[in-house]
Amino acid sequence: MELPGFAVAVWMFVCFHASVVGYPNGRVREACTSMVPCHGSSPQLSPEHTITVNGTEFKPGDNIEVHLSGPDFEGFFIQARDAEHLDSPAVGSFVLADRRHSQLLTCGRTKNSAVSHTSKAKKKDIKVYWIAPEDAPKRVQFLATVVKKYRIFWVKIPGPIVSQPDVLSPTPPLHATSEPMSTSHPASYISKPFSASGCGITKFCIRNPTNCDPGSASCFFLSFQQEGSSVFIEMSGPSEGYLAFAFSQDQWMGGDDAYLCVNVDHHIHVSTAHLKERSHPLLDGENALEDVSWRLADGVLQCSFRRGIHLPAYKERFNLDTSYYIFLADGEASEGGLIYKHHRQPLVTNGPYNVTGLPQDIGGSRAPRLIKAHGTLMFFAWITTVSIGVIVARFFKPVWNHSFLFGKELWFQVHRMLMLTTVLLTSISFVLPFVYRGGWSQQAGFHPYLGCAVMALTIFQPLMAGFRPSRHAPRRQLFNWFHWSTGTTARILAVVTMFLGMDLPALDLPDPWDTYAMIGFVAWHVGTDVLLEIHSYCLVRKVEVIEDDRVQILQSLTSAEAEGRLFKQIVLAIYVCGNVVFLVAFLIAINQV
């Protein structure tokens, strides 16, 4: 009787603990079998949410788009099971469409066999892709558990049933959409890394980093060599998932001619595709590529193939005697060959190029020019002009109070000039991402929200300064407090926003250097501020201890002011130089991405 009682106590503790903390991070492997959240209440009976799919039939290796939608919900748990035995283990694996709101879980021995939430953030719609396994049952049903609130949830909401047709052989496993991929010619194996010896002489090359060796484990390489009426193409880079490049009429994804080399069970499948906006590539049913070869060794993926300069029989293929922007992307692929969205911005050439024209050896950029300009202006504004302007206003009033510029005290004119420059730079920089994106970005997390808050405070600060009361007015102290608190809040939010922006895919400064550099700048500014505060305090104490003699006090005050003025000017000069060093470092990093 002891052991069962102890087991019950343990079970009650686990459920009680789970009911207190819940599963806000979505790691609900404990519910793999029952799909029941341990929330201490009974499930609802009439579901409000629905599961839909984009097809009713499948073959092993196919992928099916699965949608879970309905009123706002916090958590979810999706599986596919044998429709004839719903208590059996999960069937097949999933691929994510949105990594912010969903994550993959492993139930039992099947990797990625379930999908759950990543946080308690409210959501209305979840999209995932289900990959049918080779040993899939004849009929598969999708099930979902949905948590609307902590004690309001539905368990095993039944979804559509998809079934296998009576076929003798399955289609190949590589699918970016439901269209099958075929290769017209057998592929051979590449014996050694590519060479850059003919770049700029006999072939057109793109390398990242610039002038890197294609044989190294960090070099992305793409080359085009015209041979009569065809072009021989080589592509390699550090990836164990996929490499892809595309010809584009502009610097935006959509309507592009794409070529993919995808790792499927340690074999590389090479195919052509068409990019339709920002969605999965549409693989072609017929392949126009010849002389296909590949190699996968030491984490470097290589593939090569030949295609005609003109392919009138293939409407989606571009003519290669015209100039195009060229994209080069890499990313992960599932075991079945379904490609994930690339984690970082694709490499894009700085202008349109004709790969059959004059051979060139060029680089590219993973950050669009408008985003680079956005980062440059923001760094310039909040690392230099704001920081120096704050130091001047806080510590240089007594130093420059007898110096005037255009009828105003020098410290005030310098402070005002630097702050107005900040407003101008921030306003210009604020507009650039909207111009680039054509609207609001849904992929940038909290960065745009905080950026809007910084922009609002930046505009509000000079407007408030325009209504500044006179020096001896009763409301002057209240104004000073609001002016200081608004400026300080804007600076803190700006630093947090820059921290978040540095790692966004559109800029993605090198890790962990960018974080250390920003921490260094914050420490540099705080250290300078503390040093000047300590100096001011010591200066006041020095004057206070002088004996009570009027002439002696006046002489000592004059001497102390001179000493304080020299020290502060030296500190300011060093501080400005340090800020310039941080700014130059960030600008160099931005120019290299």
Side-chain angles (χ1 to χ4, degrees):
M1 297 300 293
E2 295 277 351
L3 187 57
F6 176 74
V8 170
V10 170
W11 180 87
M12 290 179 65
F13 170 77
V14 170
C15 281
F16 175 75
H17 178 70
S19 68
V20 173
V21 299
Y23 301 101
N25 62 1
R27 300 191 179 278
V28 292
R29 290 190 181 91
E30 293 85 350
C32 275
T33 302
S34 67
M35 299 185 70
V36 178
C38 199
H39 286 190
S41 59
S42 300
Q44 305 296 306
L45 298 178
S46 301
E48 299 177 351
H49 304 79
T50 58
I51 306 171
T52 58
V53 295
N54 68 339
T56 58
E57 292 187 351
F58 71 91
K59 301 174 184 177
D62 280 352
N63 72 87
I64 292 179
E65 187 177 293
V66 182
H67 274 269
L68 172 64
S69 59
D72 285 348
F73 56 95
E74 295 179 353
F76 66 91
F77 190 48
I78 301 175
Q79 285 186 357
R81 295 189 177 185
D82 187 340
E84 307 299 332
H85 305 281
L86 291 179
D87 292 330
S88 61
V91 173
S93 59
F94 288 91
V95 173
L96 302 180
D98 183 355
R99 292 175 179 268
R100 294 180 306 156
H101 297 134
S102 55
Q103 62 182 327
L104 298 172
L105 299 178
T106 297
C107 285
R109 298 181 180 179
T110 308
K111 185 178 180 181
N112 302 335
S113 55
V115 185
S116 72
H117 53 282
T118 57
S119 71
K120 291 177 62 178
K122 292 187 181 299
K123 46 196 83 73
K124 291 180 179 291
D125 180 85
I126 291 295
K127 180 173 73 172
V128 295
Y129 297 93
W130 179 72
I131 311 300
E134 292 295 330
D135 57 349
K138 290 294 183 181
R139 301 171 74 244
V140 173
Q141 184 170 20
F142 296 97
L143 303 174
T145 291
V146 177
V147 178
K148 184 176 182 179
K149 292 182 180 179
Y150 184 75
R151 295 189 180 277
I152 302 177
F153 57 88
W154 295 264
V155 174
K156 290 186 178 179
I157 298 174
I161 295 177
V162 293
S163 57
Q164 295 192 61
D166 293 329
V167 293
L168 296 177
S169 60
T171 56
L174 174 63
H175 289 272
T177 67
S178 58
E179 298 181 33
M181 186 279 294
S182 63
T183 304
S184 302
H185 302 272
S188 59
Y189 193 78
I190 299 172
S191 59
K192 60 182 181 179
F194 297 137
S195 171
S197 59
C199 290
I201 303 172
T202 60
K203 57 185 179 182
F204 185 101
C205 296
I206 301 171
R207 292 192 272 177
N208 180 253
T210 304
N211 298 323
C212 64
D213 180 8
S216 71
S218 61
C219 182
F220 288 92
F221 177 76
L222 179 63
S223 72
F224 304 86
Q225 185 168 7
Q226 183 175 358
E227 299 176 353
S229 60
S230 66
V231 175
F232 185 69
I233 300 169
E234 297 174 324
M235 178 168 58
S236 67
S239 176
E240 295 187 350
Y242 72 90
L243 289 176
F245 77 90
F247 297 109
S248 179
Q249 305 283 359
D250 50 37
Q251 292 181 297
W252 297 90
M253 286 182 62
D256 306 329
D257 178 12
Y259 301 80
L260 295 86
C261 299
V262 185
N263 179 9
V264 182
D265 298 328
H266 304 290
H267 288 74
I268 306 303
H269 286 251
V270 182
S271 63
T272 56
H274 179 67
L275 298 183
K276 186 177 180 181
E277 298 179 350
R278 295 176 179 268
S279 59
H280 278 76
L282 302 174
L283 299 182
D284 294 328
E286 295 182 309
N287 207 332
L289 308 180
E290 301 176 351
D291 299 338
V292 176
S293 300
W294 61 272
R295 181 173 185 257
L296 185 62
D298 301 322
V300 177
L301 191 158
Q302 294 175 252
C303 62
S304 64
F305 51 88
R306 183 188 309 278
R307 62 146 286 183
I309 296 176
H310 299 277
L311 294 172
Y314 301 89
K315 296 181 180 180
E316 303 295 348
R317 305 281 72 78
F318 292 179
N319 294 330
L320 298 188
D321 54 0
T322 306
S323 295
Y324 304 102
Y325 288 94
I326 303 172
F327 291 67
L328 179 59
D330 67 290
E332 299 177 0
S334 70
E335 294 179 357
L338 187 74
I339 65 173
Y340 294 94
K341 181 181 178 181
H342 43 79
H343 293 306
R344 56 178 173 173
Q345 195 82 0
L347 184 75
V348 184
T349 57
N350 294 323
Y353 291 92
N354 183 352
V355 297
T356 59
L358 183 68
Q360 297 186 56
D361 187 5
I362 64 172
S365 174
R366 293 188 182 275
R369 290 179 180 178
L370 288 177
I371 300 300
K372 283 186 174 182
H374 168 74
T376 299
L377 293 177
M378 283 299 187
F379 280 126
F380 191 91
W382 294 94
I383 285 182
T384 55
T385 57
V386 162
S387 303
I388 297 171
V390 168
I391 293 290
V392 167
R394 187 170 180 81
F395 298 105
F396 281 79
K397 288 180 183 179
V399 176
W400 292 341
N401 61 341
H402 299 302
S403 301
F404 293 87
L405 181 65
F406 301 118
K408 295 285 186 179
E409 293 173 334
L410 179 59
W411 74 265
F412 177 76
Q413 293 288 47
V414 172
H415 172 73
R416 182 164 64 176
M417 178 191 67
L418 291 172
M419 292 308 179
L420 289 177
T421 302
T422 299
V423 174
L424 177 63
L425 294 177
T426 304
S427 300
I428 296 173
S429 178
F430 179 77
V431 174
L432 297 181
F434 292 96
V435 174
Y436 170 71
R437 291 290 183 186
W440 186 267
S441 173
Q442 301 292 340
Q443 309 297 324
F446 290 104
H447 179 77
Y449 297 98
L450 293 177
C452 289
V454 171
M455 186 71 250
L457 293 173
T458 303
I459 296 295
F460 178 70
Q461 186 77 325
L463 292 177
M464 180 171 57
F467 295 94
R468 180 179 65 253
S470 61
R471 182 169 299 178
H472 302 291
R475 291 179 296 174
R476 181 58 181 255
Q477 284 297 108
L478 183 62
F479 165 81
N480 289 342
W481 188 88
F482 272 109
H483 191 62
W484 174 86
S485 60
T486 302
T488 302
T489 302
R491 289 164 58 208
I492 292 173
L493 288 179
V495 170
V496 173
T497 305
M498 287 190 289
F499 264 111
L500 296 175
M502 291 187 301
D503 292 326
L504 289 177
L507 190 60
D508 196 19
L509 296 183
D511 286 322
W513 175 90
D514 55 349
T515 302
Y516 294 152
M518 183 57 73
I519 292 174
F521 163 71
V522 173
W524 172 254
H525 177 77
V526 172
T528 303
D529 199 292
V530 170
L531 177 63
L532 290 173
E533 285 284 3
I534 294 174
H535 174 262
S536 298
Y537 174 78
C538 292
L539 200 60
V540 171
R541 293 289 298 163
K542 183 176 182 180
V543 174
E544 287 178 350
V545 297
I546 299 174
E547 60 184 0
D548 191 15
D549 180 59
R550 184 175 180 81
V551 176
Q552 182 69 28
I553 290 175
L554 292 174
Q555 290 176 347
S556 298
L557 281 171
T558 303
S559 174
E561 287 178 358
E563 179 186 335
R565 183 181 299 111
L566 177 62
F567 179 82
K568 288 180 179 178
Q569 289 176 344
I570 292 174
V571 171
L572 179 63
I574 296 174
Y575 178 72
V576 171
C577 292
N579 282 27
V580 170
V581 169
F582 278 108
L583 178 64
V584 170
F586 279 113
L587 295 184
I588 292 174
I590 289 175
N591 187 59
Q592 289 180 345
V593 295

